[in-house]
Amino acid sequence: MTSPMTTESQTGGHGRPPRRSGWHIARPVVVVALLLALLVGAAWFAVSILGGSLGGIGGAEDYPGPGSGEAIVEVSEGDTSADIASTLADANVVASAEAFIDAAAADDRALGIQPGFYALLEEMSAQDALDLMLDPAARVQNEVTVPEGLRVEDAVDILAAETDVPKSDFAKVLENPKPLHLPSYAEGSAEGFLFPATYTFDPEATAEEMLKAMVDRYKQAARDVGLEEQAAVMGYTPREAITVASLVQAEVAVRDFGKASRVIRNRLDQGMTLGFDSTVNYALGSDDLTLEDDQLNVDSPYNTYANAGLPPGPINSPGEAAMEAAVNPPEGSWLYFVAKAPGSDVTRFTDSYEEFLMFKEEFYAQVP
């Protein structure tokens, strides 16, 4: 009697092949399971290890932060949240403009972002970037105020002191001012055309960029007051008009700009010399309150005691009010004016020579 477990059946001779614990059936299922595990692991790694740069399911691409390095970005006047977002994305501060737009839309404080320059980091999260831009400490800027009535060298002193750009850099530009695009009637000199105002300069701005911004601001003011058109009405060239503006800026307080402008026009019309101390001081490079006879006799085209007519050009950079007064003075017959006292901003006007002498005597009686 033969046993059912024969040698042939065990070795797979002529009988049915032996079973192999079912492996050939389960193997495809195991492979699929392994692939799914790998995909899940890769997704977890991207989100957890790489910091979720995908921004979450359906979310905008965003960096996890906190970021590193430094990025200086500028927010311009009138920029919207979308404009700011694009600026940040271009500078690699945020991963995408959309991420910052989403953060700004969810935070009402975003409306408080002011124009200026901001020191941020590269690869910040959008929320961190927004928070930092709302922190006043993040604003980096060179805010420089240049007052009305300064000569070029005085304006340069302020610019150099407030920005740490060497005075020599400004001097080089002023020696060859073509890049400043001065108006043709400036005749190659920046005197009178560096408009007095408060400027916010890029921390990395060059001397040329700062001076050009001031010239551009002058051009805007000239357009606003219609300087060239109104100058023609007054019988001035544009250069003469800005020269008149510089004189009234130097001689009287703002409230009297118009009257002083009318005095200049009246004296010119009558062929009188102007006799302004401010022009002599300009020729001397001084700021003396009272001038001696030898100073008044200085040989210079800017000596308006010795020379009839206007000086050759402006003696300082006037503000917009002085420019307006130069080309739109009030009607009046005034020919003379004298400060009420040394250092006083009160000026007395008259068309009487005798009264002028009296005012002058009272002024000098108060000189220390």
Side-chain angles (χ1 to χ4, degrees):
M1 187 172 176
T2 305
S3 167
M5 185 68 71
T6 63
T7 303
E8 289 180 352
S9 67
Q10 291 174 339
T11 59
H14 298 289
R16 188 166 54 185
R19 292 177 175 271
R20 298 184 181 178
S21 305
W23 169 245
H24 69 290
I25 297 174
R27 181 167 49 190
V29 177
V30 173
V31 170
V32 170
L34 287 172
L35 289 173
L36 287 173
L38 288 172
L39 289 173
V40 171
W44 178 87
F45 180 82
V47 174
S48 301
I49 304 303
L50 297 181
S53 62
L54 296 177
I57 298 175
E61 184 180 3
D62 197 7
Y63 290 130
S68 62
E70 183 179 64
I72 303 295
V73 298
E74 179 183 8
V75 174
S76 300
E77 189 74 39
D79 273 1
T80 64
S81 292
D83 294 329
I84 298 170
S86 294
T87 298
L88 296 177
D90 289 344
N92 197 34
V93 172
V94 297
S96 67
E98 292 78 8
F100 186 83
I101 291 172
D102 290 345
D107 193 332
D108 291 340
R109 297 178 306 154
L111 298 174
I113 296 176
Q114 299 297 310
F117 295 89
Y118 293 81
L120 306 174
L121 306 177
E122 292 187 349
E123 299 188 3
M124 302 182 73
S125 72
Q127 186 62 52
D128 286 348
L130 175 61
D131 290 342
L132 189 53
M133 294 187 78
L134 292 169
D135 184 350
R139 293 191 67 181
V140 290
Q141 57 192 14
N142 285 325
E143 188 170 276
V144 182
T145 297
V146 180
E148 293 88 348
L150 293 188
R151 301 167 190 166
V152 165
E153 62 264 29
D154 297 324
V156 166
D157 285 344
I158 291 176
L159 292 170
E162 295 295 325
T163 66
D164 293 329
V165 175
K167 290 173 64 174
S168 58
D169 287 8
F170 293 99
K172 289 177 183 177
V173 177
L174 292 169
E175 287 171 5
N176 298 285
K178 186 175 181 180
L180 303 183
H181 300 292
L182 290 162
S184 59
Y185 55 86
E187 299 181 3
S189 171
E191 191 72 87
F193 303 98
L194 300 181
F195 192 78
T198 296
Y199 295 89
T200 301
F201 294 120
D202 181 331
E204 298 179 357
T206 64
E208 179 182 310
E209 290 168 338
M210 286 185 270
L211 293 174
K212 186 176 185 304
M214 298 178 76
V215 172
D216 289 346
R217 183 64 184 83
Y218 164 80
K219 292 178 180 178
Q220 177 186 329
R223 288 192 297 269
D224 290 346
V225 303
L227 183 82
E228 295 189 26
E229 299 80 5
Q230 293 302 314
V233 174
M234 286 293 296
Y236 295 136
T237 66
R239 182 173 179 82
E240 288 173 335
I242 197 64
T243 299
V244 172
S246 73
L247 298 181
V248 302
Q249 183 77 66
E251 290 285 337
V252 297
V254 176
R255 63 173 172 271
D256 292 323
F257 281 174
K259 284 185 176 182
S261 175
R262 176 53 66 185
V263 167
I264 293 171
R265 183 70 266 177
N266 289 344
R267 291 176 76 89
L268 291 174
D269 288 344
Q270 295 191 26
M272 302 171 65
T273 59
L274 296 180
F276 286 172
D277 288 1
S278 58
T279 63
V280 175
N281 270 318
Y282 183 79
L284 297 170
S286 64
D287 290 294
D288 293 341
L289 179 63
T290 59
L291 297 170
E292 303 296 332
D293 288 344
D294 60 332
Q295 294 174 303
L296 294 175
N297 291 324
V298 63
D299 183 14
S300 168
Y302 285 90
N303 185 344
T304 54
Y305 284 92
N307 302 291
L310 292 169
I315 63 172
N316 58 50
S317 288
E320 191 165 328
M323 294 166 67
E324 177 72 31
V327 294
N328 288 297
E331 292 299 324
S333 58
W334 310 288
L335 290 171
Y336 312 95
F337 60 82
V338 180
K340 187 173 183 179
S344 172
D345 64 355
V346 177
T347 302
R348 296 188 284 187
F349 292 80
T350 182
D351 59 3
S352 166
Y353 184 66
E354 289 73 20
E355 193 170 32
F356 162 68
L357 292 178
M358 181 182 69
F359 291 161
K360 192 174 179 180
E361 183 177 350
E362 290 176 2
F363 174 87
Y364 281 105
Q366 301 175 73
V367 175

